[in-house]
């Protein structure tokens, strides 16, 4: 049941993300991750929100977690973080 709820929070977060309701998206992704710590997609989406909020360290951390879970993140986000930090 928790996995189902995690997926729901992930989808709700995506809706908020596309509506530019970033804090609400972040809350939804946090809930999805709390319920399913192996969701690379949730970590990648949270990384995107952190990037937009200019929390680059958090974005980079979540992107690395997403990759370690086998999720292939958005290449534009990867390149953007490389340009900021130089070593992702």
């Amino acid at each position: 049941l928790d996995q189902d709820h995690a997926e729901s929070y992930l989808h709700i977060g995506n809706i908020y993300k596309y509506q530019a309701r970033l804090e609400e998206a972040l809350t939804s992704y946090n809930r999805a991750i709390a319920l399913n710590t192996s969701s690379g997609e949730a970590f990648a989406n949270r990384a995107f929100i952190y990037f937009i909020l200019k929390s680059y360290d958090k974005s980079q951390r979540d992107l690395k977690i997403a990759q370690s879970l086998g999720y292939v993140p958005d290449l534009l986000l990867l390149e953007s973080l490389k340009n900021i930090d130089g070593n992702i």
Side-chain angles (χ1 to χ4, degrees), residues 4 9 11 14-16 19 25 35 37 39 47 52-54 60 63-64 68 72-73 77 82 86 88:
D4 293 336
Y9 281 116
H11 292 305
N14 289 339
I15 292 167
Y16 285 141
Q19 293 176 340
L35 292 169
T37 58
S39 174
I52 298 300
L53 295 173
K54 299 183 180 179
Q60 185 178 42
L63 207 51
K64 286 180 180 180
S68 75
V72 179
L77 179 57
K82 280 183 189 175
I88 202 170

Side-chain angles (χ1 to χ4, degrees), residues 2 4-5 7-9 13 16 18 21 26 31 36 41 49 52 54 62 64 67 69 73 76 78 86:
D2 285 347
D4 293 336
H5 288 293
E7 191 75 16
S8 295
Y9 281 116
Y16 285 141
Y18 293 118
R21 295 166 63 179
L26 186 60
R31 288 180 179 157
N36 181 6
E41 185 177 1
I49 299 299
I52 298 300
K54 299 183 180 179
D62 276 3
K64 286 180 180 180
Q67 289 176 304
L69 294 169
L76 182 58
L78 272 174

Side-chain angles (χ1 to χ4, degrees), residues 44-62:
N45 281 302
R46 190 171 73 173
F48 176 81
I49 299 299
Y50 280 140
F51 182 81
I52 298 300
L53 295 173
K54 299 183 180 179
S55 295
Y56 301 123
D57 289 341
K58 290 179 180 180
S59 181
Q60 185 178 42
R61 180 200 64 216
D62 276 3

